[in-house]
Amino acid sequence: MAKTTAKYELMYIIDLDIGEEQVAATVEKFKALTEANGTVDELEEIGKKKLAYLINDKPDGYYVLMKFTSGPEFPAEIDRVLKITDGVMRSLITVIEE
């Protein structure tokens, strides 16, 4: 029997230049989107950190780590939304092996 849900980890970096309110709104947007399509198991706002390398000539970003459980089709959708959201510099979704 095929598993209908899996656990995933999403790490994304938000551009600090969009301002504190917009950073908070972006975190809330992805939390709400995930809750509508699965469950948020853990949400950790790591905060401002130095990037390993410059992204768009910027040395810092706001890191967010979210662990969630969802069906297999949702990660592709949240990845699509992350790519078209202003202020999201990078994102990575990985499957958490059980």
Side-chain angles (χ1 to χ4, degrees), residues 4 11 13 20 22 24 27 36 41 45-46 48-49 62 78 85 95:
T4 54
M11 170 73 81
I13 306 169
E20 276 183 44
Q22 203 53 45
V27 172
D41 303 322
E45 292 188 45
I46 297 165
K48 179 181 174 180
K49 289 183 68 85
Y62 190 89
I78 197 169
T85 300
V95 178

Side-chain angles (χ1 to χ4, degrees), residues 52-97:
Y53 54 90
L54 293 179
I55 300 174
N56 305 331
D57 296 323
K58 304 207 170 109
D60 303 306
Y62 190 89
Y63 282 71
V64 181
L65 174 66
M66 182 168 64
K67 293 181 181 177
F68 65 95
T69 306
S70 76
E73 66 292 325
F74 178 63
E77 173 60 15
I78 197 169
D79 191 46
R80 182 189 71 78
V81 177
L82 281 156
K83 283 182 169 66
I84 61 172
T85 300
D86 287 339
V88 176
M89 300 165 77
R90 289 285 190 277
S91 64
L92 178 67
I93 300 170
T94 52
V95 178
I96 300 172
E97 297 295 330

Side-chain angles (χ1 to χ4, degrees), residues 33-49:
L33 181 63
T34 303
E35 287 173 337
N37 292 278
T39 56
V40 174
D41 303 322
E42 191 180 315
L43 178 63
E44 181 183 355
E45 292 188 45
I46 297 165
K48 179 181 174 180
K49 289 183 68 85

